[in-house]
Structure formats: C-alpha cells, structure tokens
Amino acid sequence: MTKKIIAFGASNSTKSINKTLANYASKKLAKVEFELLDLNDFEMPIYSADREAESGIPELAHQFKKRIENSDGLLISFAEHNGAYSVAFKNIYDWVSRIESNVWGNRPMFLMATSPGGYGGKSVLAMAKARYERANEKEILTFSLPSFYEKYSAEKGISDENLRIAFFDLLNQFESNVLK
Ligand SMILES: Cc1cc2nc3c(=O)[nH]c(=O)nc-3n(C[C@H](O)[C@H](O)[C@H](O)COP(=O)(O)O)c2cc1C
C-alpha cells in the first residue's frame, strides 16, 4: 500500500510562508502521498486544566490525533514567534498531548522552519527536535530556510543553490525513511 505523510505549516496565517514551504516540500515527494492540514481547521479554546476538567478534550483534538495515527510520517514547517512555537500550533499540541503525551508516535519526521529574517526560525526548530526525539525512535531531520523572500520564489522554489541541494538531500532521506 502507498505510504502517506501528513504535512502542515505550524501557523494559522492564511499567507503563511511555512505553509508554502510545507506544500512545496510535499509536492516534491515522488513515492509517498501527502495530506496537507490547515491548523485553522483545528482551532480550539486555549488549553486550560479547568476547561479540561469541565468539558474534557475537544473533538478536534481527537480528529487531529487520528490524522497523525493514519500517517506514516510527518513533515512540519514551523513559524517562529518570539523564539518559540506559534500559539495556534502550541494550543493544538497541548490539547493533543492530553490524549497521549507522545503526540507524534514513532514516525519519521522532517521538521523545517522559515522566516523573513536571517536566522530562519532555528530556535523553534531546535526546540521541536529536542522535544520530539525524546519519544520518537525514528529519524528526525531538520532544515531551516532563512530570508524566505530572498531565497524562495513561486517560480524557482528554493533559489539558493547550496540550500536547495541540502533541502533535497534531506527530503530524499525523509522519503526513504517513510518507505522503510
Ligand atoms: C508575534 C511575532 C513574533 C515573531 N518572532 C519571530 C522570531 O522570534 N523569529 C523569527 O525568525 N521571526 C519572528 N517573527 C516573524 C515571523 O517569522 C514571520 O511573521 C513569519 O511570516 C511567520 O511564519 P508564517 O508566515 O508561516 O506564519 C515573528 C512574528 C510575529 C507576528
């Protein structure tokens, strides 16, 4: 059976550059199918212990978890807000972690981040990798694309040659990890 990955930009912006990057990467996968999620479809009240005690875990968190469980790998591009996850992503992550603390299960991951600045979201990327590798035995690859508006275009994709080569090496490695 064909393997399938879940991909999304960890942002709720309709113009999200991380969604653009996640979409671009997914379309370059030759041998695995992909499903792109939009975090706006999983918007829930801000996590609180009181809300959980009163009303339980929202159905949308269960739906998100089901999508992950039906996948063979995960490709996520993180928006960096003040050195960390976007609130839109973190809220989903927190709710889903109440179903099972290991949110992603044991699946190959390709974590990316891009931003308009020269640091390319490396802080959120490092944070995500450090957290997820505690529970996931599968390989977690990372790629940062700095200066998005200079180094990416709709026509050319990633225009910087060194970054493009590094990106495709990692994407191919991720794809073969999913196919294993
Ligand atoms: C509240 C806020 C905080 C931000 N903090 C950072 C940051 O720490 N590092 C960074 O590289 N960019 C930062 N940015 C700029 C984002 O990288 C930029 O808005 C980017 O477009 C977000 O990704 P998205 O388009 O996928 O939502 C911040 C933007 C906002 C609105």
Side-chain angles (χ1 to χ4, degrees):
M1 211 166 74
T2 313
K3 303 269 185 163
K4 190 179 98 175
I5 63 137
I6 293 291
F8 60 89
S11 161
N12 62 357
S13 165
T14 54
K15 298 187 177 71
S16 168
I17 57 178
N18 284 283
K19 198 171 182 180
T20 301
L21 185 60
N23 196 348
Y24 169 75
S26 301
K27 286 185 175 159
K28 299 291 181 192
L29 292 165
K31 298 176 196 137
V32 305
E33 289 177 359
F34 69 93
E35 182 185 3
L36 263 183
L37 302 186
D38 183 339
L39 295 196
N40 290 301
D41 294 333
F42 298 93
E43 188 169 309
M44 293 171 267
I46 291 175
Y47 176 81
S48 89
D50 299 329
R51 283 200 178 107
E52 185 182 353
E54 277 161 29
S55 324
I57 297 166
E59 174 55 25
L60 283 174
H62 290 284
Q63 284 183 24
F64 189 90
K65 179 75 177 170
K66 263 190 210 113
R67 303 289 185 93
I68 304 301
E69 278 173 353
N70 290 332
S71 77
D72 303 296
L74 294 152
L75 186 156
I76 306 172
S77 189
F78 290 93
E80 181 171 291
H81 282 180
N82 296 310
Y85 299 124
S86 73
V87 166
F89 169 77
K90 185 62 162 51
N91 193 46
I92 296 169
Y93 186 63
D94 285 349
W95 274 118
V96 176
S97 75
R98 300 299 295 153
I99 302 169
E100 184 189 348
S101 63
N102 181 3
V103 168
W104 311 117
N106 211 26
R107 293 178 169 78
M109 299 186 89
F110 188 16
L111 308 181
M112 305 187 291
T114 190
S115 75
Y119 198 57
K122 286 193 183 73
S123 297
V124 69
L125 206 49
M127 175 187 294
K129 182 168 196 259
R131 179 78 199 169
Y132 307 158
E133 69 190 4
R134 286 166 53 179
N136 193 348
E137 286 162 20
K138 296 284 160 65
E139 191 170 25
I140 301 179
L141 302 164
T142 59
F143 174 76
S144 156
L145 178 63
S147 311
F148 178 83
Y149 294 103
E150 284 108 75
K151 297 192 192 302
Y152 180 91
S153 72
E155 306 78 51
K156 291 187 192 157
I158 298 173
S159 52
D160 179 290
E161 199 187 341
N162 289 337
L163 283 168
R164 191 173 60 242
I165 291 167
F167 168 80
F168 280 109
D169 278 353
L170 289 162
L171 190 68
N172 288 336
Q173 206 177 323
F174 171 62
E175 189 164 36
S176 64
N177 288 344
V178 172
L179 291 168
K180 263 182 207 162

